[in-house]
């Protein structure tokens, strides 16, 4: 056998396995195949009928619409319309949507439910859409009048509703994503296109959600969905991306009548359309409108197309940046939406007021057709910009102002640079304009080269480029600016980008210091987003974050043994120079003793549990629960994998994210931060995971471990992230932690820390501030039912650890209220006032500790 034969045999086996899996999947969705077959046969039959009376009669019977149902009383059409595809070119894509969408739904709801839901959401969705049309007719809306006689064929109406119903049977994370992204897409189609089929599709989606609630026996409730910061950014980026694609609907469907069609028309290029000129010169007179239309045709070209599309590309790039947690992406999205709102306001509001003559009459006609749509076209991007501003706490706050100033500064520099270059070139070749350009004319004409050309369709043109250099400058100055802006934004979203010059080198120095020697088990937390760094002149460093003028440190200063107190005192002088109150948080007994000698007060804030692997074993009655968990895990086929997050298979990485999102979705308060890591902190290659995986590769639980170093060698691990799937076995966390401790013993490590449990320690009243004790006691009681810090501490005692207290050190008792509020904001940066009020009310029973 040659070397190639085993490889060929392995490839054949994989193909056979994939084929068998595909066959099993196909056999599991018979209803899907039946619906796809009916759609195919019905559509092909309709396409093959010759044009004539029979074809028109068939279309009238099979299609649905407002007049068809309510005037002609063809009630059956509300169901038959979803079995025909309107055009032959759309048959393949429609069948693909039916197979994927209905098949996904059938695997979750079953055969009978899928068939029943398919019929119900079709009828109810079209009924809701017809009701919306009736409301539009009663309000005398132009769009409703224009579309009442349309004949609608569209199987995706039923597909959208069925998928929304099936989302009720999905896991919380997938259910939320399907609904938020699904309704964003459906809403954009309604708002920009506004065709009856779009309205029926949205109605089917609403009916599907209600059907899902009914089938799963869930009570409808309105509450703010809970998600991690990463998941919230993902959903926010999806909404921004979908709205960025909205104007493309207006570009592809120029006769759209949606509410946001006026906004979408700004991104449409009407200049190359001969009817645009003919409509303004139809009287045969040389009117101002006719002259403007002829002049505009000279502006048409590739530059006009690019300046129309590049802002949408920039908005898609902004959506990607939002997904990655980059504030540059957030600022770019905010700026672009504000720009669209301003342009729409000027286009539909300001210009009609100040313009005159025939230009005004044409603009008034458009305003009469769209009515309040023009106002909505301004308010929607403005509302999105406000939503993005409110979402700023979802992004790392470190150096936020500096990054914003740099990005805005570079963007303005790009505009000024490209504009100046255009003005210089245009002035040099001013005789290539008709009429000859003057400085004032060039300056007044300048903004028009940077905005979508749809704006120019209704604005009088006073100066047109006629020579080759002038035409090239006019055509390409706008695209050049947008390309430069996109490049700046793209660079700004990269790690170690020019917009983020401070953290990269500082983080590298901190990492070097930590690898030389970690002063505490929590030291690796200093590398997390949100921290800033101060470096002592004589060596050593402090990680901190400033909240409400309170500088909160993370653990002990990174300094040689015995020098931590001196570095801390030097840092305190640095804070005093800046007017900050210093709070040394989660520091060890060693630093507490050194700072107490310097006049600092202290209070215990956490209880850390530390295990020495060399002397740890599973023997004894107190370890019975741990042994039981290990034995059960082995019986159920679970294995513990020691791996980095980046080395996980894509499917397993997605499962870890899903487990984390489901844990957060069950809480009444948002995900905590500061000294409690989330998904973002798992991405560090220095962080290791211990993952419980079954024989099929499914992740049941995950823990993450932060390293502590000595002379470049890992000397211990500290537990951070703990999550398990809702249906995982009891004791899976005990299994993972025990495996980690045993592995650490085999590797000869000094310790395994199960980390500190914040607010889970009973403070010693002697010498402590009564006010701070009261604040921490209230926080502890209020947050315990949600986050279970005390139950977490009890859970950790199963492993027979050594207990070490962590302390908060402060100099001025009068600053304690400010310190307490700053700590609360550090742990819960996205906490709203409403959630804070609810947090201090009566709570339910605490959750299981190992669910953290």
């Amino acid at each position: 056998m040659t070397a190639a034969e085993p490889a060929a045999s392995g490839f054949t086996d994989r193909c056979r396995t994939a084929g068998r899996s595909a066959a099993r999947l196909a056999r599991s969705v018979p209803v899907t195949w039946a619906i796809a077959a009916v759609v195919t046969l019905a559509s092909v039959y309709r396409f093959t009928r010759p044009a004539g009376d029979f074809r028109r009669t068939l279309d009238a019977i099979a299609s649905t619409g407002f007049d068809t149902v309510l005037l002609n009383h063809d009630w059956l059409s509300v169901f038959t319309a979803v079995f025909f595809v309107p055009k032959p070119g759309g048959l393949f894509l429609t069948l693909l949507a039916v197979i994927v969408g209905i098949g996904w739904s059938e695997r979750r709801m079953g055969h009978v439910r899928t068939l029943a839901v398919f019929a119900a959401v079709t009828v109810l969705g079209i009924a809701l859409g017809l009701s919306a049309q009736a409301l539009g007719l009663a309000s005398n809306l132009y769009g409703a009048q224009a579309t009442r006689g349309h004949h609608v064929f569209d199987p995706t109406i039923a597909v959208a509703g069925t998928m929304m119903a099936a989302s009720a049977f999905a896991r919380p994370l997938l259910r939320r994503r399907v609904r938020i992204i699904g309704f964003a897409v459906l809403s954009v189609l309604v708002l920009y296109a506004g065709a009856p089929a779009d309205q029926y599709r949205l109605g089917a989606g609403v009916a599907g959600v209600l059907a899902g609630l009914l089938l799963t026996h869930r009570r409808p409730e309105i509450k703010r969905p809970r998600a991690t910061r990463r998941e919230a950014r993902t959903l926010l980026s999806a909404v921004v991306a979908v709205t960025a694609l909205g104007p493309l609907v207006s570009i592809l469907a120029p006769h759209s009548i949606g509410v946001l069609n006026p906004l979408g028309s700004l991104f449409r290029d009407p200049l190359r359309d001969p009817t645009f000129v003919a409509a303004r010169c139809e009287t045969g007179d040389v009117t101002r409108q006719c002259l403007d239309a002829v002049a505009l045709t000279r502006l048409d070209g590739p530059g006009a197309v690019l300046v129309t599309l590049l802002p949408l590309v920039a908005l898609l790039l902004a959506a990607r940046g939002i997904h990655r947690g980059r504030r540059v992406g957030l600022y770019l999205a905010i700026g672009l939406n504000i720009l669209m709102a301003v342009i729409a306001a000027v286009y539909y509001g300001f210009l009609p007021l100040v313009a005159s003559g025939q230009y005004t009459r044409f603009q008034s006609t458009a305003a009469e057709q769209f009515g309040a749509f023009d106002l909505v076209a301004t308010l929607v991007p403005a509302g999105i910009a406000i939503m993005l501003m409110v979402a700023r706490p979802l992004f790392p706050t470190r150096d936020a102002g500096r990054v914003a100033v740099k990005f805005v500064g570079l963007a303005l520099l790009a505009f000024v640079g490209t504009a100046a270059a255009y003005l210089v070139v245009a002035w040099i070749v001013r005789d290539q304009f008709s009429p000859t350009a003057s400085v004032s004319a060039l300056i007044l004409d300048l903004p028009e080269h940077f905005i979508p050309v749809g704006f120019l369709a209704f604005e009088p043109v006073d100066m047109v480029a006629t020579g080759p250099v002038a035409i090239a400058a006019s055509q390409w100055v706008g695209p050049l600016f947008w390309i430069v802006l996109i490049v700046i934004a793209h660079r700004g979203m990269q790690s170690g980008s020019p917009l983020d010059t401070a953290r990269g080198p500082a983080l590298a120095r901190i990492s070097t210091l930590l690898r030389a020697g970690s002063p505490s088990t929590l030291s690796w937390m200093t590398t997390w987003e949100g921290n800033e760094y101060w470096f002592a002149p004589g060596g050593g460093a402090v990680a901190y974050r400033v909240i409400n003028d309170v500088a909160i440190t993370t653990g002990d200063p990174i300094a040689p043994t015995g020098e931590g107190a001196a570095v801390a005192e030097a840092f305190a002088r640095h804070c005093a120079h800046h007017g900050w109150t210093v709070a040394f948080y989660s520091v060890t007994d060693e630093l507490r003793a050194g700072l107490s000698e310097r006049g600092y007060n202290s209070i215990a804030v956490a209880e850390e549990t530390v295990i020495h692997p060399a002397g740890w074993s599973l023997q004894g009655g107190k370890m019975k629960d741990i042994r039981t968990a290990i034995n059960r895990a082995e019986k159920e086929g679970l294995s513990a994998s020691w791996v980095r997050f980046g080395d996980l298979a894509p499917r397993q990485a997605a499962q870890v994210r899903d487990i984390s999102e489901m844990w957060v979705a069950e809480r009444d308060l948002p995900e905590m931060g500061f000294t409690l890591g989330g998904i973002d902190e798992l991405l560090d290659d220095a962080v290791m995971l211990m993952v419980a995986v079954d024989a099929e590769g499914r992740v049941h639980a995950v823990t993450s471990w932060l390293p502590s170093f000595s002379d470049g060698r890992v000397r211990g691990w500290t537990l951070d992230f703990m999550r398990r799937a809702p249906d995982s076995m009891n004791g899976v966390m005990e299994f993972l932690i025990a495996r980690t401790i045993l592995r650490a013993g085999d590797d000869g490590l000094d310790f395994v820390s199960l980390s500190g449990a914040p607010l889970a320690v009973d403070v010693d009243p002697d010498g402590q501030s009564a006010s701070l004790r009261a604040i921490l006691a209230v926080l502890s009681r209020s947050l315990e039912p949600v986050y279970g810090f005390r139950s977490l501490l009890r859970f950790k005692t199963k492993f027979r650890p050594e207990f070490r207290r962590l302390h908060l050190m402060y100099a001025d008792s009068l600053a304690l209220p400010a310190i307490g509020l700053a700590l609360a904001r550090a742990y819960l940066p996205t906490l709203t006032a409403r959630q804070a009020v609810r947090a201090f009310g009566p709570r339910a029973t605490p959750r299981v500790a190992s669910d953290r």
Side-chain angles (χ1 to χ4, degrees), residues 716-735:
W717 296 104
T718 300
L719 177 64
D720 176 38
F721 186 90
M722 294 174 64
R723 299 286 191 271
R724 69 182 182 90
D727 56 349
S728 62
M729 74 166 206
N730 291 331
V732 67
M733 285 300 173
E734 289 89 334
F735 165 66

Side-chain angles (χ1 to χ4, degrees), residues 211-357:
L213 292 174
L214 182 64
L215 291 174
T216 54
H217 306 289
R218 290 195 182 100
R219 291 192 307 173
E221 57 180 352
I222 300 176
K223 67 177 183 178
R224 180 181 176 183
R226 185 66 49 218
T228 65
R229 290 184 291 276
R230 185 183 186 89
E231 175 65 10
R233 293 196 301 262
T234 298
L235 297 175
L236 190 65
S237 70
V239 172
V240 172
V242 170
T243 56
L245 296 175
L248 293 180
V249 176
S250 295
I251 294 174
L252 298 175
H255 300 294
S256 305
I257 46 84
V259 176
L260 292 184
N261 182 57
L263 178 62
S265 66
L266 297 179
F267 294 89
R268 193 183 303 144
D269 178 9
L271 307 183
R272 64 178 67 249
D273 187 359
T275 60
F276 177 78
V277 178
R280 285 147 185 79
C281 302
E282 58 185 357
T283 64
D285 298 330
V286 184
T287 64
R288 178 56 185 266
Q289 283 186 343
C290 180
L291 292 175
D292 286 341
V294 174
L296 283 169
T297 60
R298 306 179 74 93
L299 301 179
D300 198 14
V305 175
L306 285 176
V307 85
T308 297
L309 297 179
L310 286 175
L312 302 180
V313 174
L315 199 53
L316 289 174
L317 178 65
R320 179 172 178 267
I322 291 172
H323 171 69
R324 298 179 60 195
R326 299 293 189 262
R327 280 191 171 250
V328 171
L330 179 70
Y331 299 140
L332 180 60
I334 291 173
L336 290 174
N337 277 282
I338 291 176
L339 176 64
M340 286 192 288
V342 170
I343 289 178
V346 172
Y347 185 91
Y348 294 111
F350 178 71
L351 286 183
L353 294 177
V354 301
S356 61

